């Protein structure tokens, strides 16, 4: 009996079911009321008692085998769409779009990386600021035009102290100076806001990275060397810088910094307006009055500060000429930066 069952196992395994007809044939032959399994279960009566249990188990196994084979073929034959024969495995798969980093964020990371190599930490602060951190501690005289409604977005604070959206991240540096003891070497990347009409060359918000270095005997030469290092890391070894005297309330002396135009190798082109130079940042020695406002002894310490717009650096690096592109989220623009880190 056991051998017989084993030979039926093989028979069932080899039975080929290709269509509904052969499926029906299989059912009648093995599972039907006059089928093989019915007969075999009938024969169980004549099996000696001591073998009944084993044979019974084998028969149950045989029945499950036949039932499973029947059910699985029935399922595929009943729903032909799902059967493997109708799936076109050569069809190309569907592409899933891969996002990319925003160009401003790529350049931001690069700037942070360049300064972190010479020991600068990253500090951040609130976008909504009080007058002290954005203006007063930075030596802005009360009548300074930057405080004017035309430049600053003021925020009504329910009759409490008036707040503003920060106009630069120098406000973060005030917070750092108030809370840390020199030596301080930090950069503050962040979004800043100015009340300007939106055009290709101006926007009501943009991104800055400002830097601050305070220690004993920090000199203007240190500032120049740091900025030259930055320009060469960012724009290539051949980059040169030049400093032009300027004015900021919080630095004295102050300068604006140009980098040699890498687009035309300083020969003159429409980007550098045929001067060979491009303005990239403002800088200067921290005004002693600012150090004192933040609780740092200006007789013991000196320092320098600089600030640049990330949009400006990105514009020079990737030749993007319209500031509005950065915030419009047009995928045709953003897609050009896939592959960036
Ligand atoms: N805070 C200045 C600005 O927003 C930039 C700057 C920073 C200039 C530090 C000098 C020193 O324009």
């Amino acid at each position: 009996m056991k051998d017989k069952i084993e030979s039926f196992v093989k028979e069932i395994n080899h039975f080929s079911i290709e269509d509904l007809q052969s499926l029906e044939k299989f059912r009648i032959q093995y599972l039907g009321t006059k089928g093989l399994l019915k007969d075999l279960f009938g024969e169980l009566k004549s099996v000696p008692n001591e073998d009944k249990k084993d044979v019974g188990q084998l028969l149950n196994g045989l029945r499950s085998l036949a039932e499973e084979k029947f059910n699985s073929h029935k399922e595929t034959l009943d729903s032909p769409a799902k059967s493997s024969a109708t799936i076109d495995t050569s069809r190309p798969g569907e592409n899933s779009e891969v996002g990319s980093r925003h160009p401003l964020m790529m350049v931001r990371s690069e700037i942070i990386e360049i300064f972190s190599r010479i020991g600068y930490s990253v500090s951040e602060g609130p976008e909504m600021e009080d007058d002290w951190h954005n203006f007063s501690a930075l030596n802005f005289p009360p009548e300074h035009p930057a405080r004017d409604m035309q430049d600053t977005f003021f925020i009504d604070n329910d009759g409490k102290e008036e707040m503003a959206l920060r106009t630069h991240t120098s406000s973060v540096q005030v917070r750092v100076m108030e809370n840390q003891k020199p030596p301080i070497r930090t950069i503050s990347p962040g979004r800043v806001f100015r009340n300007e009409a939106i055009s290709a060359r101006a926007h009501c918000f943009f991104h800055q990275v400002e830097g601050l270095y305070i220690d004993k005997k920090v000199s203007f030469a240190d500032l120049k060397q740091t900025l030259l290092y930055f320009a060469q890391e960012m724009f290539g070894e051949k980059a040169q810088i030049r400093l032009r005297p300027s004015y900021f309330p919080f630095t004295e002396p102050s300068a604006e910094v140009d980098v040699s135009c890498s687009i035309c190798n300083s020969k003159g082109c429409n980007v550098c307006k045929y001067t060979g130079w491009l303005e990239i940042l403002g800088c200067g020695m921290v005004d002693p009055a600012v150090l004192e406002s933040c609780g740092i002894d200006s007789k013991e310490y000196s320092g320098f500060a600089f600030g640049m717009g990330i949009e400006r650096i990105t514009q020079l690096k990737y030749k993007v000429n319209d500031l509005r592109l950065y915030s419009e989220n047009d995928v045709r623009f953003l897609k050009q930066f896939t592959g960036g880190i």
Side-chain angles (χ1 to χ4, degrees):
M1 183 78 174
K2 287 184 186 166
D3 293 344
K4 215 153 104 182
I5 296 174
E6 232 150 72
S7 72
F8 285 130
V9 168
K10 283 194 194 120
E11 199 182 291
I12 289 176
N13 280 335
H14 286 128
F15 195 106
S16 93
I17 301 174
E18 270 149 16
D19 48 24
L20 287 168
Q21 266 170 341
S22 47
L23 180 71
E24 183 59 4
K25 197 169 145 214
F26 179 85
R27 192 191 64 80
I28 295 169
Q29 192 168 329
Y30 297 104
L31 298 163
T33 41
K34 288 183 192 138
L36 177 86
L37 275 154
K38 184 105 197 230
D39 288 353
L40 288 175
F41 272 104
E43 280 175 40
L44 195 57
K45 280 188 219 113
S46 49
V47 171
N49 272 350
E50 63 267 30
D51 288 343
K52 262 207 178 96
K53 196 176 159 207
D54 286 353
V55 175
Q57 269 175 359
L58 286 174
L59 275 181
N60 279 334
L62 187 67
R63 184 169 54 194
S64 316
L65 180 72
E67 281 173 355
E68 269 162 33
K69 180 155 179 151
F70 175 80
N71 288 335
S72 72
H73 280 85
K74 188 169 159 44
E75 222 170 83
T76 25
L77 289 170
D78 277 353
S79 50
K82 280 192 212 139
S83 85
S84 58
T86 56
I87 294 176
D88 179 2
T89 49
S90 65
R91 214 178 118 193
E94 265 164 44
N95 272 343
S96 50
E97 298 271 338
V98 179
S100 58
R101 295 198 69 196
H102 193 281
L104 291 177
M105 292 303 116
M106 277 157 53
V107 172
R108 177 189 195 267
S109 306
E110 202 175 335
I111 299 172
I112 292 176
E113 217 252 312
I114 291 172
F115 282 104
S116 70
R117 288 210 289 273
I118 51 169
Y120 281 74
S121 64
V122 173
S123 42
E124 287 180 286
E127 291 184 347
M128 195 166 108
E129 268 296 5
D130 49 33
D131 177 273
W132 171 256
H133 290 100
N134 198 73
F135 296 125
S136 297
L138 288 161
N139 212 22
F140 276 85
E143 71 287 357
H144 194 282
R147 290 173 179 246
D148 205 307
M149 284 297 277
Q150 275 146 26
D151 281 300
T152 309
F153 287 111
F154 288 100
I155 296 163
D156 187 9
N157 197 16
D158 275 345
K160 283 180 253 142
E161 190 199 349
E162 191 178 55
M163 302 291 277
L165 292 178
R166 66 181 176 197
T167 57
H168 49 187
T169 56
S170 304
S171 56
V172 181
Q173 305 186 331
V174 173
R175 289 175 181 276
V176 172
M177 287 189 278
E178 282 172 338
N179 293 307
Q180 289 175 27
K181 293 213 170 336
I184 293 170
R185 207 183 285 176
T186 190
I187 48 171
S188 11
R191 191 155 50 163
V192 301
F193 308 83
R194 292 189 194 171
N195 196 351
E196 296 201 34
I198 297 169
S199 72
R201 298 173 63 86
H203 212 293
C204 60
F205 69 84
F206 58 98
H207 299 78
Q208 278 190 332
V209 175
E210 296 218 355
L212 176 71
Y213 177 32
I214 296 175
D215 204 345
K216 288 175 183 159
K217 298 200 174 89
V218 175
S219 70
F220 203 89
D222 297 326
L223 169 61
K224 264 178 82 174
Q225 193 57 36
T226 303
L227 296 177
L228 179 63
Y229 157 78
F230 167 73
Q232 296 187 334
E233 291 297 305
M234 196 66 185
F235 298 107
E237 301 182 336
K238 290 206 203 93
Q240 290 297 315
I241 55 166
R242 74 173 184 189
L243 279 74
R244 286 176 286 108
S246 186
Y247 171 78
F248 298 101
F250 34 88
T251 46
E252 183 59 37
S254 306
E256 264 164 279
V257 178
D258 299 337
V259 66
S260 50
C261 181
S262 53
I263 295 166
C264 62
N265 283 330
S266 304
K267 288 193 185 75
C269 64
N270 61 352
V271 179
C272 63
K273 305 215 181 66
Y274 302 95
T275 61
W277 296 98
L278 298 155
E279 187 188 321
I280 54 163
L281 55 85
C283 65
M285 301 306 291
V286 181
D287 193 305
V290 174
L291 295 176
E292 296 294 335
S293 292
C294 300
I296 293 175
D297 184 353
S298 63
K299 286 187 199 71
E300 200 181 348
Y301 293 103
S302 57
F304 64 69
F306 55 87
M308 65 186 97
I310 304 180
E311 278 81 350
R312 176 76 177 147
I313 307 288
T314 312
Q315 177 189 20
L316 299 179
K317 227 179 143 76
Y318 294 109
K319 307 185 179 73
V320 177
N321 285 328
D322 191 328
L323 274 180
R324 291 169 294 197
L325 285 166
Y326 293 121
S327 51
E328 277 170 354
N329 281 337
D330 186 331
V331 286
R332 292 169 301 179
F333 170 69
L334 296 174
K335 264 188 179 166
Q336 296 174 54
F337 301 90
T338 355
I341 36 141

